[in-house]
Amino acid sequence: MLTFLGLTALLIKIGLVVGISQGAVAYLIYVERKIAAYAQDRIGPNRCGREFGVPLGLIQPLADGAKMILKEDVIPKYVHKTTFILAPMIAIVTATIGFAVVPFGPVGAGAPRLGADWPVQFQIAPGVDIGIVYILAIGSLAVYAVVLAGWSSNNKYSFLGGLRSSAQLISYEIPMGLSILGIVLLARSLDLNTIIEWQDRHGWGIFWQPIGFLIFLVSAFAETNRLPFDLPESEQELVGGFHTEYSAMKFGMFFLGEYLHVITVSFLTVILFFGGWDLPFVLSADQTSWISAIFKVIVMMSKVSMMIVFIMWIRWTLPRFRYDTLMNLAWKSLLPLGLLNLTVTAVLAQMILGG
Amino acid sequence: MRLDDPCIKKLEPPKLNVFERTYLPQIIDGLAVTGRHILGVLRGESITIEYPEQPHRPSPNYRGVHRLNKDEEGRVKCVACMLCATACPVHCIDIIGATAPEGWSDREKYPASFVIDELRCIFCGMCEEACPVDAVELTSFYDLTGLSREEMIFDKTKLLSVYDLTKDSEPSRMGNLTTF
């Protein structure tokens, strides 16, 4: 039952997660710009805040945010107003509510306790046993943001961007689902925390499901609309794709949504394939002290940060896919590979682990 | 050229094996390349010049603000032959020639006034090439700014002062051909 105290704790958790993730997004943009600069032998933003003694341009995100808010917010006359305004909201909401079931530390029996019977769960909604399904479902809703934005802009470029995006996101959902099923079969649960605990006992998912990991990674890139799969935006041929007509904070919300998506996907990768908070021989589900809990959160966050940096690194390495090769990759390579992987995993799991 | 011409060399792309067709080795190679660049910048190998603090040095043949050269006696080298003003495609050079003062035995004329409109100038360097006595030259000054149009019209004094400023750092590009 949800008591008043429980509700307060829940609200605090939600506030913390939303606040931290939004703040993280601002700094992710900064990190992205830095990595982009480094990959091109430049230095990147380093001026902002120099007058106040802030090194390395660390308050650049504040300036970026202020710019987004203060710019003129243009709504062109020819757009479909309702959907035009709705689209960025969908983008940001779908990206945010995915965090509800993402554990960012020990949950359940491994959670540390305040007093005798007050476990502190490092998850907004602990014990949701369809965690992965929920995240996939929310992730598919994000298509609507792009499709609605592209259609309501009433502009050929945006429309093409929206079209491409809907085909791309729907295609890559299938291999993504298939790649996750392998680890779900092994851990015998859809609950993200149970999957982490299974990996804690048996070893990380990437060793059990290397092909699944590969398929998941590729489809995750496609799902987040990041290079090499950023066909919905493709600045060169579609101007800006679905967000051509957007300005000021509406554009910023798409941006925010994209980076929130990157964070969610990184969390998911770490949880499914890199053992979540698990560190072999050091951390296990049996430790329930506060020190181990904090250590677990730190381990989890470092893994997620490394994953995010890897995603950015890929972005500045690979060129964009052509549309037909993109579709070929999804339907002719990833889908059969995913099915094969799932079948082999199912057979082996049945034979070795038993029914 | 016919399609079966023996001179035509047909290049076949190399056949990829199964592992290469996953493109994973190429992706890893690519990551290594960008990784090297990222680590290189972290070690301080960036090509960025942080401009206001770190001066930018243009290449030796950069064409910036003009100067009017002086000879060894400190007189203006120009002989008011009007070749630069004629060569100038945008007519930004305005010279008023006059008979050389007493004692200037090596020439008949000198410029009483020598004005270059730096706003009209396109910095093509033709004046420099046309000058028979290497009197007008372009320097490496690139940060030319002013608050009014009048300020950007350089007269003889100003052009000579540019020479005084740059004579040590930039010797004459054409060599010192004072005698001919």
Side-chain angles (χ1 to χ4, degrees), chain A residues 29 33 48 59-73 247-252 255:
Chain A
I29 295 171
R33 288 177 65 181
C48 201
I59 60 170
Q60 182 73 41
L62 284 181
D64 284 347
K67 182 201 79 175
M68 287 285 186
I69 292 165
L70 295 176
K71 264 188 163 181
E72 187 188 355
D73 193 356
S247 50
M249 204 52 210
K250 286 206 190 65
F251 170 72
F255 223 60

Side-chain angles (χ1 to χ4, degrees), chain A residues 95-308:
Chain A
T96 312
I97 56 178
F99 282 107
V101 294
V102 171
F104 40 94
V107 182
R113 279 159 196 282
L114 274 180
D117 48 326
W118 187 258
V120 177
Q121 317 273 17
F122 285 85
Q123 189 179 23
I124 293 175
V128 176
D129 44 10
I130 51 157
I132 292 180
V133 180
Y134 173 80
I135 288 185
L136 285 184
I138 296 300
S140 350
L141 282 182
V143 188
Y144 281 102
V146 181
V147 173
L148 286 182
W151 177 74
S152 68
S153 293
N154 203 358
N155 164 322
K156 301 292 184 294
Y157 288 127
S158 308
F159 181 68
L160 280 173
L163 265 186
R164 281 182 178 191
S165 164
S166 46
Q168 173 186 331
L169 295 188
I170 290 167
S171 304
Y172 275 88
E173 221 127 77
I174 300 161
M176 194 176 194
L178 285 175
S179 64
I180 289 173
L181 280 181
I183 195 89
V184 168
L185 273 178
L186 289 173
R188 297 180 176 200
S189 173
L190 288 164
D191 180 7
L192 292 171
N193 188 52
T194 319
I195 293 175
I196 296 179
E197 278 169 10
W198 182 85
Q199 290 179 72
D200 174 43
R201 284 193 300 277
H202 297 90
W204 288 2
I206 185 172
F207 302 116
W208 290 91
Q209 289 282 315
I211 297 175
F213 168 68
L214 212 61
I215 299 171
F216 179 79
L217 199 63
V218 174
S219 3
F221 276 108
E223 287 287 305
T224 49
N225 282 340
R226 305 257 319 164
L227 266 165
F229 301 108
D230 70 335
L231 284 132
E233 302 185 24
S234 49
E235 294 90 346
Q236 288 84 4
E237 67 244 41
L238 291 186
V239 190
F242 62 92
H243 58 56
T244 310
E245 299 290 352
Y246 283 88
S247 50
M249 204 52 210
K250 286 206 190 65
F251 170 72
M253 277 153 94
F254 278 118
F255 223 60
L256 217 62
E258 182 186 324
Y259 279 89
L260 281 173
H261 226 98
V262 170
I263 300 180
T264 324
V265 156
S266 304
F267 260 108
L268 214 54
T269 319
V270 167
I271 288 166
L272 292 174
F273 296 100
F274 291 100
W277 41 256
D278 178 47
L279 204 61
F281 313 116
V282 183
L283 293 171
S284 76
D286 309 329
Q287 298 156 327
T288 54
S289 67
W290 270 99
I291 297 169
S292 74
I294 290 165
F295 197 43
K296 280 171 182 172
V297 172
I298 292 172
V299 167
M300 183 99 170
M301 292 305 157
S302 351
K303 283 181 185 173
V304 170
S305 322
M306 279 192 269
M307 191 60 210
I308 291 172

Side-chain angles (χ1 to χ4, degrees), chain A residues 293-345:
Chain A
I294 290 165
F295 197 43
K296 280 171 182 172
V297 172
I298 292 172
V299 167
M300 183 99 170
M301 292 305 157
S302 351
K303 283 181 185 173
V304 170
S305 322
M306 279 192 269
M307 191 60 210
I308 291 172
V309 168
F310 177 73
I311 289 178
M312 290 176 178
W313 185 11
I314 285 273
R315 168 167 184 184
W316 295 101
T317 302
L318 298 180
R320 182 180 304 127
F321 266 66
R322 213 173 57 210
Y323 191 70
D324 57 330
T325 47
L326 175 94
M327 283 296 151
N328 278 349
L329 182 68
W331 293 102
K332 291 186 183 166
S333 311
L334 293 185
L335 184 62
L337 205 61
L339 283 172
L340 186 73
N341 181 48
L342 179 64
T343 318
V344 172
T345 312

Side-chain angles (χ1 to χ4, degrees), chain B:
Chain B
M1 193 177 262
R2 290 161 56 91
L3 274 176
D4 54 354
D5 193 306
C7 296
I8 295 178
K9 212 188 235 177
K10 282 198 177 117
L11 292 179
E12 288 287 322
K15 273 258 179 282
L16 303 177
N17 62 33
V18 180
F19 184 48
E20 281 170 336
R21 273 170 58 193
T22 63
Y23 292 108
L24 288 179
Q26 291 90 331
I27 289 173
I28 291 165
D29 281 353
L31 284 175
V33 169
T34 37
R36 266 202 303 279
H37 281 274
I38 290 170
L39 290 179
V41 175
L42 288 176
R43 280 202 306 267
E45 291 169 10
S46 79
I47 55 166
T48 308
I49 293 168
E50 297 200 54
Y51 168 59
E53 294 91 28
Q54 227 178 320
H56 163 61
R57 298 233 169 278
S59 74
N61 60 353
Y62 183 83
R63 300 194 295 264
V65 178
H66 310 75
R67 70 181 185 193
L68 256 184
N69 289 348
K70 295 177 185 171
D71 61 11
E72 299 83 42
E73 295 163 44
R75 304 175 305 182
V76 62
K77 251 186 189 176
C78 177
V79 293
C81 68
M82 303 286 184
L83 276 179
C84 52
T86 313
C88 182
V90 291
H91 309 298
C92 70
I93 305 179
D94 191 35
I95 306 171
I96 298 171
T99 316
E102 291 294 319
W104 290 26
S105 53
D106 54 344
R107 71 190 80 165
E108 291 166 10
K109 284 170 79 188
Y110 91 111
S113 130
F114 191 111
V115 178
I116 298 182
D117 186 348
E118 298 284 346
L119 287 179
R120 197 187 269 190
C121 177
I122 57 169
F123 299 95
C124 64
M126 284 197 191
C127 49
E128 186 182 39
E129 279 180 43
C131 186
V133 292
D134 294 325
V136 64
E137 275 186 330
L138 297 166
T139 64
S140 64
F141 269 23
Y142 51 84
D143 42 0
L144 175 68
T145 53
L147 294 172
S148 64
R149 286 172 187 277
E150 292 71 35
E151 211 177 300
M152 302 300 286
I153 297 174
F154 280 27
D155 60 1
K156 198 169 97 181
T157 356
K158 205 157 183 183
L159 290 166
L160 284 170
S161 71
V162 177
Y163 174 72
D164 292 332
L165 272 176
T166 56
K167 65 180 172 192
D168 300 321
S169 55
E170 293 172 44
S172 178
R173 288 180 201 183
M174 307 288 179
N176 235 338
L177 301 171
T178 35
T179 52
F180 48 90

